[in-house]
Amino acid sequence: MNVLTIAGSDPSSGAGIQGDIKTFTALGAYGFSAITALTSQNSSKFFRSEPVPPDAVKSQIRSVLSDFEVSAIKIGMVYDKKTIKTIYDELKNIKIPIVLDPVFQSTTGGVLLQADAYSDFKKLLLPLAHVITPNVPESEKITGMKIRSQNDARRAALKINSMGAKNVVIKGGHMKGGSVTDLVLADKKFYTFSQKRLPRDSHGGGCIFSAALCVSIAKGKSVPESVRLAQSISFESIKNALAIGKGIAIARQKDADTIEKDLAGAIGRFASINGIHRYIPEVQTNFVYAKPSPKSILDILGLEGRIVRAGSSVIVAGMLKYGGSRHVASAVLEMTRKFPSTRSAVNIRYDNMTIKKATAKRFQILHYDRTLEPRSRKNKEGKTVSWGIKNAIKNIKSSPDMIYHTGDLGKEPMILLFGKTPRNVLTKLAKIR
Ligand code: PXL
């Protein structure tokens, strides 16, 4: 699968063309490039930049599009009015989805878009965007609004949408608070994805986000699912940043492990299911995926936070982490001891209707009674679920789809839905909704 980036060159290779190509490669896509400008910068300083002649920008884009099949295009640094007009003319009639990353200023203060080019950026490029990915200062620049709260961000996203960008992601990194919340407006609906704030600054994280988003869109994934993946990839690469220069660390792409890619994507899809908030229990939801033959919950990837019900939508809180889930992971750990290929699960709210629908679909359903657990074992964190799963599957020959319990004193009843992969779990969930 091939993608194209139209962006500036960054000799430090953290951002721009070089950063994009590394991200594309790490995610298994083939990356083409058309260079719009040459920047001279390192980890401490932005020295200068100059545009590539518009005719050469045009010729690069044509060279790529006239030959190769391209499934999505990312636009980054566009520098000036002439470059914007050139890109607009080349792309206005093509049907390939465009991810537009408005880059106005570098981390070290360099000007990436000239002051007199903003109005053309808004008028010509913004309406071409399938997805636009501004951070808070960029959203303020685009809308002329001040953004201090989630509500402000929602209003800004609606405005950017009304200016012509089909879907909008406002990255929350610049907003105050202990966590970072990215806001997504996709098909007129809002989604929020939040994560822990990393204590350091780095160069290139924004480019990695939009490049990863571009690959996911190229694969035909939905916008919320793609944002979730992009958030996960950029978070990991900022955590993994290298301090190889005298200044700011440079974000570094890790090859995304497929467990992480699959689970991050499935969580994004789960969160965007219509009416999914009704399936979230009081204790909230986790979704996990184990490495093959997990030895402990540290081999099982889950959300460090939870999928949380918020009114009639859900918020995905926290990033994926091995050992991030205790409860659902303990259930999967126990399951894999008998059925090694059943490596994923999600917990959902107990409801008799759900059990009935699952029965009608001929799911293999088991249950256990928490009140029968020997006293000596009780109150040990994560132990009850291991005991329950072990008992439930004791005399079973094939892996169950669903295991539930009806609670205990002060304990909420719960349904666990199992599958071989997160995708498989979602397929089962779709059958019982
Ligand atoms: O991260 C934004 C960015 C994008 N493109 C180029 C850059 C930078 C930041 O420095 O240099 C070329």
Side-chain angles (χ1 to χ4, degrees), residues 353-365 401-402 427-433:
M353 266 315 288
T354 307
I355 308 284
K356 278 195 181 139
K357 285 185 193 158
T359 311
K361 294 287 177 191
R362 301 181 179 284
F363 277 28
Q364 172 160 215
I365 306 168
D401 304 298
M402 181 183 274
T427 307
K428 292 180 185 179
L429 182 62
K431 289 186 184 159
I432 53 172
R433 281 176 34 242

Side-chain angles (χ1 to χ4, degrees), residues 130-328:
H130 177 64
V131 193
I132 189 169
T133 60
N135 59 26
V136 167
E138 288 155 358
S139 306
E140 291 183 332
K141 234 0 198 168
I142 291 169
T143 59
M145 296 161 56
K146 272 271 157 238
I147 302 176
R148 295 207 178 80
S149 65
Q150 277 302 310
N151 259 341
D152 294 346
R154 283 177 184 236
R155 284 192 296 124
L158 287 169
K159 178 151 184 194
I160 296 171
N161 177 238
S162 73
M163 292 164 76
K166 191 150 180 282
N167 301 287
V168 183
V169 183
I170 297 188
K171 296 177 292 179
H174 291 74
M175 212 114 73
K176 290 202 173 66
S179 60
V180 176
T181 301
D182 296 334
L183 175 71
V184 182
L185 176 61
D187 291 328
K188 311 282 172 196
K189 276 177 65 181
F190 285 112
Y191 306 86
T192 41
F193 297 110
S194 76
Q195 64 182 62
K196 200 166 63 183
R197 183 179 293 280
L198 288 168
R200 61 166 142 188
D201 227 358
S202 70
H203 171 66
C207 286
I208 293 175
F209 182 97
S210 52
L213 183 69
C214 178
V215 171
S216 183
I217 293 292
K219 289 181 180 161
K221 309 279 170 152
S222 73
V223 173
E225 179 179 359
S226 301
V227 169
R228 181 64 191 167
L229 178 74
Q231 198 191 44
S232 174
I233 303 278
S234 62
F235 180 88
E236 286 302 323
S237 63
I238 294 169
K239 214 163 78 178
N240 198 32
L242 260 190
I244 43 174
K246 299 184 182 69
I248 189 170
I250 294 179
R252 186 167 47 135
Q253 299 82 346
K254 283 206 296 194
D255 285 354
D257 89 39
T258 54
I259 292 182
E260 183 166 344
K261 268 194 293 193
D262 290 354
L263 184 57
I267 288 173
R269 282 203 304 286
F270 179 88
S272 51
I273 293 171
N274 234 332
I276 195 64
H277 63 281
R278 293 191 306 265
Y279 291 82
I280 307 295
E282 294 292 327
V283 297
Q284 319 292 2
T285 284
N286 213 324
F287 201 157
V288 308
Y289 192 17
K291 290 179 185 172
S293 315
K295 302 223 170 359
S296 76
I297 61 172
L298 295 178
D299 289 328
I300 301 180
L301 190 66
L303 281 169
E304 216 176 351
R306 292 281 185 279
I307 304 169
V308 179
R309 178 177 175 155
S312 59
S313 67
V314 299
I315 295 174
V316 180
M319 295 312 291
L320 292 175
K321 190 180 170 185
Y322 283 97
S325 156
R326 193 174 266 281
H327 195 89
V328 184

Side-chain angles (χ1 to χ4, degrees), residues 373 375-384 411:
E373 187 189 12
R375 256 185 191 287
S376 59
R377 297 184 48 105
K378 271 196 189 171
N379 302 325
K380 286 193 195 141
E381 179 76 38
K383 287 283 195 282
T384 299
K411 291 287 177 195

Side-chain angles (χ1 to χ4, degrees), residues 7-10 15-17 37 39 41 46 76-77 101 103 105-108 112 203-207:
S9 162
D10 169 11
I17 291 283
T39 72
Q41 59 181 311
F46 194 96
M77 175 181 180
D101 187 5
V103 288
Q105 222 186 39
S106 78
T107 345
T108 48
L112 303 177
H203 171 66
C207 286

